[in-house]
Amino acid sequence: MRIGVLGTGMVGRALAGKLRELGHDLVVGSRVAGDDAQPFAEAAAHGELIVNATNGAYALDALAQAGAENLRGKILVDVTNPLDFSKGFPPSLFVSNTDSLGEQIQKELPDTKVVKSFNTINCEVMVDAARAGGESDLFVSGNDPEAKATVSRFAREQFGWKNVVDLGDITTSRGTEAYLLLWIRLYGALKTGDFNIKIVKK
Amino acid sequence: MRIGVLGTGMVGRALAGKLRELGHDLVVGSRVAGDDAQPFAEAAAHGELIVNATNGAYALDALAQAGAENLRGKILVDVTNPLDFSKGFPPSLFVSNTDSLGEQIQKELPDTKVVKSFNTINCEVMVDAARAGGESDLFVSGNDPEAKATVSRFAREQFGWKNVVDLGDITTSRGTEAYLLLWIRLYGALKTGDFNIKIVKK
C-alpha cells in the first residue's frame, strides 16, 4: 500500500520501520527533508493512507505544510497526543476536556477522513500488539465509519490488533487523549511502557 | 468497622447498602438529614474510615460541612469525579489536566489522609469487582502509603478487588479523573456500565 508517514521522531520511525518491513511503499515526511525524509507535502501526496506521527505540539503546522489538497479524500490516521512538556514531567495536555487535537485536525481538514487511533500506547506496542504482553484493546475515533473500518482492518492485519473498539465520532478523541494523563501515571507505577488496557465487561 | 458514608445519591446508596450487608457500623451523611441519613458532620465524626460519595460538584461544600475536625487523622476514601453536566451529556470535567478534585480535597483537609479510589468504575462494580465480568484493576492515589495499603486491603477483603494499582501521590488523581472522559465514551460504545479496564503488561 502507498503510505505517507508524517514525522521522523520516535513514533514516526517506529511506524515507518515496521511498515517498510511489511513491504509497504512508503514516503516519510519531515519538516527538514534529507536522508530518508521528503517534505511533508511529498509524503502526503504519495500516500493513499497517511499517518500523522508528528509531535502533537506541531501537528497542525505540519499538516498545513502537508497541504489540504494532498490529503483530500484520504484517510489520515492521527496517532498524536497534545502533550505539553513545557513544565517538565509529567506533561499536561495543551488541549483537553471540551476539545481535542483530533477534532482540531478534523476541523482544519474537513475533506480528509481523520481517524484517531494508536495514541493510547507507546510506539513499540502500536506496531506489535503482542508486545503489550497479552490481548488488549485499540481504539478508533472518527466521523467516517468506513475509514474507521479500514484502519481497524489495517491494525489487525499489519500489527496484530484483534480487538479494536470503535468509540464513535471524532469528539471521542477527547477520551483517548485524556487517557494519556492516566497512561503517564501507569507508566510511572509499572516502570515499563510496554503495557496497555484490556476492556473487561459482563 | 465504624464507617461514615457521605452522600445519599446512587453511589452513596450502593456503598452504604453493601457495607451494611457486610456488617459494618455505618452512619450515612447527607446535606438534608432525615430517614436513614444524619448531617455530614455526624457521619464524619462516627467513622474511623470515611467515604466521600457526594456529588463531585458539591464535594468541597459537603466536606466543609463534615468538618475538618471530624476528619482529622482519618482516611477519607474519595470516590468522586469532577463531572460537569451543565452542558448535558457527555459531561466534561470542572477541574482537570493540571489539577484534580482529589488534590483540591487533600489541600482543604491537610490533616486527613485522602485516598482517591473507586472513581474509575460505576457504583455496582465498586462494591463487587466480579460484576465487571472478569479480573480488572482498581487504582489508588494518595500521599500516605499506609492509608493506601489500608484502602487496598479493604477493597480486596470487602469488595473482591484482587488487583489494586498504587499510582502514586494524590496528584495521580489527575490520571484517574481524566480517564472518566474515556469511561464515558466506552460506556457509549459498550452499552453497559458494567465494565472496567485490566492492565496488560509484559
Side-chain angles (χ1 to χ4, degrees):
Chain A
M1 193 177 195
R2 289 201 321 279
I3 301 177
V5 174
L6 311 182
T8 50
M10 212 167 62
V11 179
R13 286 199 309 270
L15 283 163
K18 179 68 173 189
L19 290 168
R20 272 215 190 84
E21 193 187 304
L22 291 165
H24 294 286
D25 175 11
L26 238 64
V27 172
V28 173
S30 174
R31 183 180 317 272
V32 185
D35 290 338
D36 276 357
Q38 306 291 319
F40 285 130
E42 305 273 327
H46 170 80
E48 307 162 65
L49 181 85
I50 321 293
V51 181
N52 178 27
T54 58
N55 180 327
Y58 308 112
L60 289 169
D61 280 354
L63 290 167
Q65 287 180 41
E69 67 285 5
N70 294 321
L71 295 162
R72 181 164 294 130
K74 297 179 180 176
I75 294 173
L76 178 73
V77 184
D78 177 37
V79 312
T80 62
N81 279 304
L83 296 175
D84 176 358
F85 285 97
S86 66
K87 294 201 180 68
F89 196 90
S92 59
L93 304 178
F94 61 78
V95 53
S96 66
N97 196 11
T98 55
D99 195 5
S100 64
L101 190 50
E103 286 165 89
Q104 293 186 345
I105 290 170
Q106 181 62 84
K107 203 168 288 169
E108 280 299 308
L109 299 167
D111 300 323
T112 298
K113 297 160 192 165
V114 178
V115 178
K116 185 100 207 178
S117 192
F118 297 101
N119 61 312
T120 54
I121 36 184
N122 77 8
C123 57
E124 288 87 6
V125 177
M126 281 184 196
V127 299
D128 178 11
R131 184 161 170 145
E135 268 198 31
S136 61
D137 288 283
L138 184 71
F139 305 103
V140 290
S141 301
N143 296 339
D144 189 296
E146 230 175 280
K148 285 187 285 189
T150 300
V151 173
S152 301
R153 200 165 47 240
F154 190 90
R156 186 177 64 245
E157 291 171 358
Q158 309 293 314
F159 304 148
W161 287 100
K162 290 181 208 158
N163 310 319
V164 183
V165 180
D166 182 348
L167 291 174
D169 69 20
I170 194 69
T171 68
T172 64
S173 303
R174 295 176 201 179
T176 57
E177 292 180 11
Y179 164 75
L180 256 283
L181 295 172
L182 178 57
W183 189 95
I184 288 156
R185 303 311 186 136
L186 286 168
Y187 175 69
L190 302 172
K191 319 265 185 235
T192 174
D194 290 339
F195 71 87
N196 192 16
I197 55 174
K198 179 178 166 48
I199 306 301
V200 170
K201 75 177 182 100
K202 245 197 162 163
Chain B
M1 195 178 193
R2 287 200 325 276
I3 301 178
V5 174
L6 310 182
T8 51
M10 212 167 62
V11 179
R13 286 199 308 271
L15 283 162
K18 180 68 172 189
L19 290 168
R20 272 215 189 84
E21 193 187 306
L22 291 165
H24 293 286
D25 176 11
L26 238 63
V27 172
V28 173
S30 175
R31 184 178 316 272
V32 185
D35 290 340
D36 276 358
Q38 305 291 318
F40 284 130
E42 305 273 327
H46 170 80
E48 306 162 68
L49 180 85
I50 319 293
V51 181
N52 178 27
T54 58
N55 179 326
Y58 308 111
L60 289 168
D61 279 355
L63 290 167
Q65 286 180 40
E69 67 285 5
N70 293 322
L71 296 162
R72 180 164 296 130
K74 297 179 180 177
I75 295 174
L76 178 72
V77 184
D78 177 37
V79 311
T80 63
N81 279 304
L83 296 175
D84 176 359
F85 285 96
S86 66
K87 295 200 179 69
F89 196 90
S92 58
L93 304 178
F94 63 77
V95 53
S96 66
N97 196 11
T98 54
D99 195 5
S100 64
L101 189 51
E103 285 166 88
Q104 293 187 344
I105 290 170
Q106 182 62 83
K107 202 168 287 171
E108 280 299 307
L109 299 166
D111 299 324
T112 297
K113 298 160 193 164
V114 177
V115 177
K116 185 100 205 180
S117 192
F118 297 101
N119 61 311
T120 55
I121 37 183
N122 77 8
C123 57
E124 288 86 6
V125 177
M126 281 183 196
V127 298
D128 178 11
R131 183 160 171 145
E135 267 197 32
S136 61
D137 288 281
L138 183 71
F139 304 103
V140 290
S141 301
N143 296 339
D144 189 297
E146 230 175 280
K148 285 187 285 189
T150 299
V151 172
S152 302
R153 198 166 51 239
F154 190 90
R156 185 175 67 245
E157 291 172 358
Q158 309 293 313
F159 303 148
W161 288 99
K162 289 180 208 157
N163 310 319
V164 183
V165 180
D166 182 348
L167 291 174
D169 69 21
I170 195 68
T171 69
T172 65
S173 302
R174 294 176 201 178
T176 58
E177 293 179 11
Y179 164 76
L180 257 283
L181 295 171
L182 178 58
W183 189 95
I184 288 156
R185 304 311 187 136
L186 286 168
Y187 175 69
L190 303 172
K191 320 264 185 235
T192 174
D194 289 339
F195 71 87
N196 192 17
I197 54 174
K198 179 177 166 48
I199 307 300
V200 170
K201 76 177 180 98
K202 245 195 162 164

